[in-house]
Amino acid sequence: MKFGIIVFPGSNCDRDVAWVTQNLLGQPTRMVWHQEEDISGLDVIVIPGGFSYGDYLRCGAIARFSPVMAATVAHAQKGKLVLGICNGFQILTEIGLLPGALVRNQQLNFICDRVPVKVENSDTAWTSTYTKGEVIRLPIAHGEGRYYADAETLKELENNRQILFRYCTENGEISQVANPNGSLNNIAGICNRQGNVLGMMPHPERASDPMLGDTDGIKLFKGLLMAVV
């Protein structure tokens, strides 16, 4: 499984992802500079967290115009895998690969924490090593992570089982008390209709190395190794 990790000016989680894919999982991994246009030899594209272009204008608004983004859209349209984490999720909504938007947290503060997240659908390449209803613990670090979409879009996401992860209590209860940023429907991560594009605000790469104390995140990456691309 060949991974490509896009690097923008301002990315700061690219090496974290590479540590997981290359060092922990032993998979070929290439850092893809944002001005590149040829990603044809890659199976999985990861758009990592960080502050692409300093988050000027709004998160992901400038990154969407980078040359590599057109190649990423074409990659996804071929059914290949695309993962956007945190800032990467914001970019995926900006380029139209995922619906909705990520806006300022409800309390207008930056949140850095580890939170429980519920797996809502285990029938995708991303979640195949989890079980439906499983509660995992993942780090979050964002100021603009509140998922927003209109009522019709939310209905489609629910009906099509595109919501893969929700913020929850330690016991798996979906409630506003467990919602760290005010995301509608407690959404922490969604996929596209085809299931090959995933955007999520929590950081699975930061919960993959046993040295860090949590390993719930590495199961997401391990699931990809069994995916048919």
Side-chain angles (χ1 to χ4, degrees), residues 38-166:
D38 185 4
I39 57 173
S40 57
L42 300 172
D43 300 312
V44 185
I45 292 296
V46 182
I47 309 176
F51 304 90
S52 58
Y53 294 94
D55 279 351
Y56 290 111
L57 299 183
R58 67 179 178 273
C59 301
I62 300 177
R64 66 173 292 191
F65 295 108
S66 290
V68 75
M69 285 294 95
T72 300
V73 171
H75 178 92
Q77 289 174 341
K78 293 174 184 175
K80 292 188 173 184
L81 299 166
V82 179
L83 169 62
I85 303 170
C86 200
N87 189 218
F89 187 6
Q90 296 160 343
I91 294 170
L92 288 177
T93 62
E94 288 286 338
I95 62 176
L97 284 180
L98 290 176
L102 284 306
V103 299
R104 291 289 302 276
N105 294 343
Q106 193 166 43
Q107 300 302 319
L108 305 181
N109 60 336
F110 186 91
I111 303 171
C112 184
D113 203 353
R114 291 175 183 266
V115 298
V117 174
K118 189 173 187 177
V119 179
E120 294 283 31
N121 179 355
S122 60
D123 296 328
T124 72
W126 311 103
T127 54
S128 61
T129 56
Y130 299 106
T131 57
K132 186 179 186 303
E134 181 177 353
V135 177
I136 61 177
R137 194 169 184 83
L138 297 175
I140 56 172
H142 56 253
E144 294 86 11
R146 179 161 60 104
Y147 184 79
Y148 176 83
D150 59 48
E152 185 60 31
T153 299
L154 288 173
K155 182 179 178 181
E156 290 179 3
L157 290 174
E158 295 282 0
N159 291 343
N160 297 326
R161 301 175 67 213
Q162 291 174 244
I163 301 171
L164 302 191
F165 301 103
R166 290 188 214 261

Side-chain angles (χ1 to χ4, degrees), residues 5-18 31 33 47-55 85-88 91 110 141-142 203 205-206:
I5 303 168
I6 298 178
V7 183
F8 296 98
S11 296
N12 66 10
C13 297
D14 45 329
R15 304 292 167 175
D16 303 52
V17 176
M31 310 309 287
W33 186 236
I47 309 176
F51 304 90
S52 58
Y53 294 94
D55 279 351
I85 303 170
C86 200
N87 189 218
I91 294 170
F110 186 91
H142 56 253
H203 287 263
E205 80 282 9
R206 296 185 185 178

